[in-house]
Amino acid sequence: MVRKLKYHEQKLLKKVDFITWKVDNAAKENVILRRYHIRKREDYTKYNKLSRSIRELAEKIAKLDKTDPFKVEATVRLLEKLHSLGLAKDKLDLETASRISASSFCRRRLPVIMVKQKLSENIKGATDLIEHGHVRVGPEMVKDPAFLVSRNLEDFVTWVDGSAIRKHVMEYNNLRDDFDL
């Protein structure tokens, strides 16, 4: 037994079509936002758009004729670029490019790389350290946790010179120099 709808409820339901209800991925999106500690939802939508365009590009390249020399060149260039960004683990075929997702981009964010290199215990702590200005990539201090780290820059993630955390780590490892004081 269902109660009779009130007037304002009927008015609201006139605008909603339950037969062609659009399915959203809010649950999956929220899981990924929590897992990688992404604070801006816009970053995740950008990653989705980028991964979709990469997959579309891979499909267009795959549709080209096998004897076309441009297909070989485009495939090599795309796979090399994806590998250098760290989005693809291998450079074998276009199948790897078609598996690129938003999570691939999330795994290349600076906090995740910091956890992977054991500079932080968890992604939330790494995000806080980045926002407070304790981390640099190469010579530049980075305050944006959405910074994507390529394979080349992965080795250059370290603490800022004047960071209290760097001093603490150096003191713990008995590597702190009196000249730095």
Side-chain angles (χ1 to χ4, degrees):
M1 295 196 11
V2 179
R3 70 173 174 83
K4 187 174 185 285
L5 295 176
K6 296 179 182 174
Y7 176 75
H8 71 281
E9 292 171 339
Q10 288 175 350
K11 288 293 253 184
L12 286 173
L13 286 176
K14 283 183 184 177
K15 298 176 184 174
V16 179
D17 183 16
F18 289 110
I19 296 172
T20 59
W21 186 266
K22 186 176 79 173
V23 177
D24 59 350
N25 290 332
K28 180 182 174 190
E29 186 174 322
N30 288 333
V31 166
I32 292 175
L33 290 176
R34 255 184 268 116
R35 179 185 303 150
Y36 295 108
H37 204 271
I38 300 173
R39 294 187 177 162
K40 295 181 195 171
R41 190 175 292 270
E42 299 89 41
D43 291 339
Y44 182 72
T45 56
K46 286 179 192 175
Y47 300 151
N48 263 333
K49 287 179 184 176
L50 284 171
S51 62
R52 189 177 318 116
S53 64
I54 289 170
R55 288 191 304 267
E56 288 171 358
L57 182 63
E59 287 175 14
K60 288 179 183 177
I61 292 173
K63 287 181 183 177
L64 291 175
D65 188 26
K66 291 181 181 179
T67 59
D68 190 5
F70 177 73
K71 178 179 181 176
V72 175
E73 178 188 344
T75 303
V76 168
R77 288 178 63 194
L78 176 66
L79 292 175
E80 182 65 37
K81 186 68 167 175
L82 292 176
H83 182 73
S84 67
L85 286 174
L87 300 175
K89 292 179 180 150
D90 53 0
K91 299 183 270 187
L92 297 177
D93 58 351
L94 285 175
E95 185 68 29
T96 59
S98 65
R99 286 189 304 242
I100 299 294
S101 64
S103 295
S104 303
F105 284 97
C106 293
R107 284 189 289 271
R108 298 307 302 177
R109 288 170 54 99
L110 183 56
V112 177
I113 298 297
M114 284 180 63
V115 170
K116 199 182 295 184
Q117 291 183 350
K118 307 234 187 300
L119 291 173
S120 179
E121 289 184 12
N122 54 29
I123 296 175
K124 182 184 181 327
T127 303
D128 292 339
L129 290 172
I130 292 166
E131 289 176 344
H132 292 173
H134 291 287
V135 180
R136 69 181 167 109
V137 178
E140 308 251 344
M141 179 176 63
V142 178
K143 284 193 169 187
D144 184 20
F147 184 82
L148 294 177
V149 181
S150 65
R151 286 189 194 271
N152 294 339
L153 291 177
E154 203 171 299
D155 296 331
F156 299 107
V157 176
T158 185
W159 303 110
V160 173
D161 291 334
S163 173
I165 297 184
R166 180 174 187 244
K167 291 177 186 175
H168 183 71
V169 169
M170 297 289 269
E171 195 172 294
Y172 181 79
N173 292 330
N174 291 329
L175 298 174
R176 187 168 174 193
D177 191 11
D178 293 336
F179 182 74
D180 292 337
L181 293 173

